[in-house]
Amino acid sequence: MRAMGIGEVAKRVALRPSAIRYYEKAGLLPAPDRVSGRRRYGEAVLERLAIIRFAQRVGFRIAEIKLLLDGFAVRPPPERWRRMARQKMAEANLLIREATTMRDLLRRTLRHKCPKLVERGAAVASCPRAAAVAKRRAPDR
Amino acid sequence: MRAMGIGEVAKRVALRPSAIRYYEKAGLLPAPDRVSGRRRYGEAVLERLAIIRFAQRVGFRIAEIKLLLDGFAVRPPPERWRRMARQKMAEANLLIREATTMRDLLRRTLRHKCPKLVERGAAVASCPRAAAVAKRRAPDR
DNA sequence: CTACGAGTTGAAGTTCACTTGAGGTCAAGG
DNA sequence: CCTTGACCTCAAGTGAACTTCAACTCGTAG
């Protein structure tokens, strides 16, 4: 296995070395071997980093990714992991629907079809429900 | 049209009033009518807010949403808008692929199929390419 | 009239996910 | 030997998107 320095790993996954050190401190990456103080990585880290970025893109936060990765490593996954996985699957489904709607909306607008669609609410009409979209934090106070 | 106070609007879209004021300052929402200093909103703001949250979910940042909304309002959309739309469509496509892969990965793991799939890289193998996943900022320095 | 609740403002604070900076180590090349 | 470049650590800084705070204003109910 080709051993890489942090710089090469970073280049390969289009991250900065600082992000990789950050993930390590956050517990997302195992501490790699060191050669005279420097981190030496095998190819495996590339996959792990891909999963991390991937999870992030679909809405996981760092702490959740840690939990996610820990869960993958255990057979069978603990109930807590399964709960989160189910929750996240639902979120991924919603995200897929939303992203699809947005893509189609952009495509239609680029093609000059659908005049004034936002003003007429067509964008939202083609989307599940307004309530389903807004779903983040608790009310004031 | 039922006029709503900022509190009711906030409740309806599951945001805090402060977020709505923030969007207004950021130019995402038009300044509403006021009754003795207080903002009064019509139903239309609910759609607008839905679009905002929706765009956010699929990866638009505030400044981009402003551009997006401005572009929708103009016929034909200006070139700047079209450029962003094309860019964002590509991003939405990537997001859809990623979210789909993640959902399937979770589903398979929940079903107890695919032993040790992360360690063996199956998760990544079934995903477009590692390089496609990592795609955010510029290299060090 | 007073109290209450909902709203107003501008400024400062918070969280997350990194990035940047200062100061230092190490191996290889000239 | 000295420089260069890549790496190290720890602490502090950054940007985005809000939230919170303090001080104030309304309209209405009691």
Side-chain angles (χ1 to χ4, degrees), chain A residues 29-131:
Chain A
L29 294 178
D33 293 346
R34 301 237 180 179
V35 174
S36 67
R38 286 126 193 263
R39 293 168 178 82
R40 300 264 99 195
Y41 296 94
E43 310 275 347
V45 77
L46 300 177
E47 281 169 7
R48 185 120 176 154
L49 281 168
I51 295 170
I52 291 168
R53 298 307 277 177
F54 184 67
Q56 260 184 328
R57 286 268 302 168
V58 300
F60 286 52
R61 39 187 63 189
I62 297 293
E64 290 173 332
I65 296 174
K66 182 168 161 43
L67 188 53
L68 177 79
L69 291 169
D70 291 353
F72 275 131
V74 182
R75 328 246 95 238
E79 182 51 30
R80 179 159 150 61
W81 187 91
R82 299 176 63 80
R83 245 202 308 287
M84 187 193 64
R86 259 181 249 113
Q87 161 81 27
K88 286 295 170 187
M89 256 183 61
E91 283 176 29
N93 273 319
L94 180 58
L95 184 61
I96 290 165
R97 276 203 306 288
E98 289 176 344
T100 304
T101 304
M102 178 59 88
R103 184 197 54 193
D104 295 347
L105 171 61
L106 290 173
R107 181 151 52 205
R108 285 199 311 274
T109 308
L110 277 169
R111 283 187 189 152
H112 291 287
K113 303 178 177 181
C114 68
K116 293 176 104 315
L117 89 188
V118 164
E119 290 79 353
R120 281 171 35 236
V124 173
S126 64
C127 145
R129 269 189 317 122

Side-chain angles (χ1 to χ4, degrees), chain B residues 16-73:
Chain B
R16 300 194 197 175
S18 62
I20 295 174
R21 291 189 202 104
Y22 174 79
Y23 292 154
E24 188 182 321
K25 241 178 244 161
L28 301 190
L29 294 177
D33 292 346
R34 302 239 179 177
V35 175
S36 64
R38 285 128 194 259
R39 293 167 178 82
R40 299 265 97 194
Y41 296 93
E43 310 275 347
V45 78
L46 300 177
E47 280 168 8
R48 186 117 177 162
L49 281 168
I51 294 170
I52 291 168
R53 299 306 275 176
F54 185 65
Q56 260 184 326
R57 286 268 300 167
V58 300
F60 285 56
R61 44 189 64 195
I62 296 294
E64 291 171 331
I65 296 174
K66 182 170 162 42
L67 187 54
L68 177 79
L69 291 169
D70 291 353
F72 276 133

Side-chain angles (χ1 to χ4, degrees), chain B residues 19-127:
Chain B
I20 295 174
R21 291 189 202 104
Y22 174 79
Y23 292 154
E24 188 182 321
K25 241 178 244 161
L28 301 190
L29 294 177
D33 292 346
R34 302 239 179 177
V35 175
S36 64
R38 285 128 194 259
R39 293 167 178 82
R40 299 265 97 194
Y41 296 93
E43 310 275 347
V45 78
L46 300 177
E47 280 168 8
R48 186 117 177 162
L49 281 168
I51 294 170
I52 291 168
R53 299 306 275 176
F54 185 65
Q56 260 184 326
R57 286 268 300 167
V58 300
F60 285 56
R61 44 189 64 195
I62 296 294
E64 291 171 331
I65 296 174
K66 182 170 162 42
L67 187 54
L68 177 79
L69 291 169
D70 291 353
F72 276 133
V74 182
R75 330 254 86 235
E79 183 49 31
R80 182 160 151 60
W81 188 92
R82 300 174 65 80
R83 245 201 309 286
M84 184 192 67
R86 260 180 247 113
Q87 161 80 28
K88 283 296 171 183
M89 260 182 58
E91 284 177 30
N93 275 320
L94 180 60
L95 180 62
I96 290 165
R97 276 202 305 284
E98 289 177 343
T100 304
T101 305
M102 177 57 90
R103 182 196 55 194
D104 295 347
L105 171 61
L106 290 172
R107 183 152 51 206
R108 286 199 311 273
T109 309
L110 278 169
R111 283 189 190 152
H112 291 286
K113 303 181 175 180
C114 68
K116 294 176 106 308
L117 88 187
V118 164
E119 289 78 354
R120 282 171 35 235
V124 172
S126 64
C127 145

Side-chain angles (χ1 to χ4, degrees), chain A residues 6-21 23 29 45-46 48-50 52-53 56, chain B residues 131 133-141:
Chain A
I6 198 171
E8 186 176 349
V9 173
K11 204 150 288 172
R12 293 249 219 146
V13 296
L15 284 175
R16 299 191 196 175
S18 62
I20 295 174
R21 292 189 202 104
Y23 292 154
L29 294 178
V45 77
L46 300 177
R48 185 120 176 154
L49 281 168
I52 291 168
R53 298 307 277 177
Q56 260 184 328
Chain B
V133 170
K135 47 158 293 294
R136 251 142 75 154
R137 274 174 257 268
D140 231 338
R141 252 9 68 175

